[in-house]
Amino acid sequence: MDISVCQNPNHDSQRLKYICVDPTCCVPKKIGCADCFLDDHITHIRKTTTQFKEQVSQSIEQISQIEFQKVTGSPQRDLDSQIDFELENCIDCIKSRFSSIKSDLKSQIDSDMTKVQDNCTQFQQNMNNELDPFKLTIQNELPSLNHNELNQLVKFYQEAPKIHKHYSKTAELLQDEKQKVKQKKQKYLNKMKNIMQILLKEFNELMTSKNVQFDDGSEYETPQKQAMSPNKMINLVETARSSRRFPMSQSQKKYFLAAVTKKLD
């Protein structure tokens, strides 16, 4: 039996030439010859089987070309190097305090980037799951398809522009989320730099030859040393840290006071 010709005995074995793509069509049989369409689809939108197959293939190819960019590498590589470079100029006790801040920033940024990556992977899988069945079906001869398979292709044909718009918009939104994470990273990095610049400014003023006077055992302190006493250094760090959420505990203050005093001695 030739599956490419109409099996209706009254249609003179005409070739199955047309596909009904009308969104309002409720007729189960979407493929037919010219007489079939005169009987059941006379006012409906139609395509030839060749046109239909070409356009479905084009839609599949067009949607398949949407790319979901994968996040590669760590978002912290440049952040690590810049923060480490800045911290090299700080005294050891200050550096140890900032390491906790850096760890927190890393965990926040990495967590955000992981969410973006997971969303990219999920939407890529969703798109593949939606398109793969049609990729397989459209490779067959249309007359060989059952009603359900052909109806599914017709439905896909009708909804292909909407599907393409959906996944294109999703890809744009995910790219925007990735950019927001980068901006957040830069914002935190700038805060870190500002804190370190405040500390470095005070350290530079303290360590200039004009200001530094070593304690020779005299009971009198220089005005410069009074202005940058260990307690004031603790207050300076506390002030610089106030924009973050890392206040010093009493034990940390005691440790830091001892470290700074040792440095100044």
Side-chain angles (χ1 to χ4, degrees):
M1 180 178 66
D2 188 353
I3 63 172
S4 64
V5 300
C6 184
Q7 302 304 310
N8 189 319
N10 297 322
H11 291 179
D12 300 326
S13 298
Q14 295 181 65
R15 298 194 68 78
L16 299 175
K17 186 177 180 181
Y18 299 104
I19 298 285
C20 179
V21 297
D22 199 305
T24 64
C25 177
C26 298
V27 179
K29 186 179 180 182
K30 303 293 185 185
I31 190 170
C33 65
D35 286 341
C36 289
F37 272 71
L38 287 174
D39 293 341
D40 299 324
H41 303 278
I42 188 168
T43 62
H44 293 176
I45 302 172
R46 71 187 69 180
K47 295 289 181 182
T48 66
T49 55
T50 299
Q51 290 173 334
F52 178 81
K53 191 165 185 176
E54 288 178 353
Q55 291 178 15
V56 169
S57 297
Q58 289 173 2
S59 293
I60 291 174
E61 178 64 24
Q62 186 180 29
I63 296 174
S64 297
Q65 290 177 357
I66 297 175
E67 295 183 0
F68 291 84
Q69 294 186 358
K70 298 190 182 307
V71 180
T72 57
S74 169
Q76 294 300 99
R77 287 178 181 172
D78 59 329
L79 181 61
D80 287 344
S81 61
Q82 291 178 59
I83 292 178
D84 289 342
F85 175 79
E86 298 288 345
L87 292 179
E88 286 175 0
N89 298 320
C90 297
I91 58 178
D92 292 341
C93 58
I94 301 293
K95 185 175 180 180
S96 67
R97 299 299 79 187
F98 274 98
S99 64
S100 63
I101 301 176
K102 185 175 74 170
S103 176
D104 180 66
L105 295 182
K106 282 187 175 185
S107 63
Q108 289 185 48
I109 299 300
D110 286 340
S111 175
D112 290 344
M113 293 302 284
T114 297
K115 290 178 183 178
V116 175
Q117 175 67 73
D118 290 343
N119 287 336
C120 284
T121 301
Q122 184 60 56
F123 279 106
Q124 182 72 61
Q125 185 63 47
N126 291 348
M127 189 181 73
N128 291 342
N129 290 341
E130 188 167 1
L131 295 181
D132 285 345
F134 298 115
K135 290 180 181 179
L136 294 175
T137 304
I138 199 63
Q139 293 176 2
N140 299 315
E141 292 295 328
L142 294 179
S144 68
L145 304 178
N146 59 43
H147 290 327
N148 181 60
E149 290 172 332
L150 192 56
N151 286 343
Q152 289 298 319
L153 278 182
V154 171
K155 184 177 179 181
F156 173 80
Y157 171 87
Q158 295 165 349
E159 296 182 354
K162 182 171 66 176
I163 295 172
H164 183 270
K165 182 178 179 180
H166 167 71
Y167 284 115
S168 295
K169 184 63 176 177
T170 301
E172 292 175 4
L173 291 175
L174 290 173
Q175 188 63 26
D176 288 344
E177 288 301 313
K178 181 180 176 183
Q179 187 61 33
K180 288 179 182 177
V181 175
K182 290 183 177 179
Q183 292 172 354
K184 181 179 179 181
K185 177 203 71 176
Q186 191 60 45
K187 178 182 176 181
Y188 287 158
L189 178 59
N190 289 339
K191 285 185 177 181
M192 291 283 286
K193 285 183 176 180
N194 289 338
I195 293 171
M196 288 186 282
Q197 285 171 359
I198 293 172
L199 293 174
L200 289 172
K201 180 176 181 294
E202 294 290 343
F203 290 148
N204 288 336
E205 291 178 0
L206 174 68
M207 298 306 295
T208 58
S209 59
K210 184 181 294 186
N211 290 336
V212 173
Q213 296 186 30
F214 295 100
D215 186 6
D216 58 358
S218 171
E219 59 182 2
Y220 302 102
E221 287 188 326
T222 64
Q224 291 80 4
K225 188 168 185 180
Q226 290 178 344
M228 202 58 187
S229 65
N231 285 330
K232 183 173 181 181
M233 289 186 68
I234 291 177
N235 292 334
L236 172 63
V237 174
E238 284 288 79
T239 300
R241 290 155 63 94
S242 63
S243 61
R244 302 290 297 150
R245 54 179 185 280
F246 302 97
M248 281 189 181
S249 66
Q250 289 300 320
S251 60
Q252 288 174 325
K253 287 183 178 180
K254 183 178 179 181
Y255 167 81
F256 185 52
L257 179 59
V260 171
T261 303
K262 182 179 178 181
K263 284 287 183 180
L264 293 177
D265 289 342

